Amino acid sequence: MDEFLEKTYQNGTPPNPSELWGVYKIKMLTGIFPDLSRFGHIKKFYSINSNVVGCNSFNHHFKWGYFKVYTSSKTVIDYDLKVNWFSRRIKDNVVTITPQKLYLGKFYYMIFGKPRFIGYFTMEKQINLLDFNKKYSIIFFGSLKINL
């Protein structure tokens, strides 16, 4: 399975961070961490001042793992933010499998400044009310308020 996933990952293209907006269902495919999709594991992405940021959540309630998204040679979901404790050392790299719908990611944990590959995961775009241009107020990182 890992060989198939690696080939699929290599054939994917890095998405523009601005393409990642809304809610994505997460499914861990391999690695030491169990798949938590049965508990409603999602990633929420937002655009704030032309930056893409977000967080992980279980069933839209328990939030953890806040992140920023950027492109270097890859599209990176970077958890290295002061608000995070354990998740601060996580870096995900994602590629597009089906544009605007399905992404394949590699999950890394930084140990002594070097990325250690942990496993693969998928992100699948979910249709939700945020996609229908309703106006919402979102409190992000406890202080910044944005209207969508």
Side-chain angles (χ1 to χ4, degrees), residues 86 89-91 107-111 114-116 118:
F86 171 78
R89 294 180 182 202
I90 296 172
K91 287 196 188 324
F107 171 30
Y108 292 90
Y109 197 77
M110 303 299 286
I111 300 173
K114 295 185 181 197
R116 303 291 185 218
I118 302 298

Side-chain angles (χ1 to χ4, degrees), residues 5-17 19-20 69-76 93-106 123:
L5 290 171
E6 182 59 29
K7 187 173 184 179
T8 303
Y9 181 86
Q10 293 301 323
N11 289 331
T13 56
N16 185 315
E19 176 183 322
L20 301 172
V69 183
Y70 57 86
T71 302
S72 56
S73 60
K74 302 170 182 142
T75 300
V76 179
N93 295 334
V94 295
V95 297
T96 303
I97 302 304
T98 305
Q100 305 289 323
K101 180 65 179 161
L102 184 64
Y103 303 85
L104 179 62
K106 285 180 144 183
M123 296 189 339

Side-chain angles (χ1 to χ4, degrees), residues 18 22 29 43-44 52 58-59 62 64 67 81-82 90-91 97 108 114 118 126 130 139-140 142 145:
S18 65
L29 302 175
K43 287 187 191 298
K44 296 180 182 181
V52 178
F58 292 114
N59 288 325
F62 177 70
W64 62 279
F67 55 79
L81 301 171
K82 289 180 182 178
I90 296 172
K91 287 196 188 324
I97 302 304
Y108 292 90
K114 295 185 181 197
I118 302 298
Q126 303 297 293
L130 291 176
I139 306 298
F140 194 77
K145 181 176 178 180

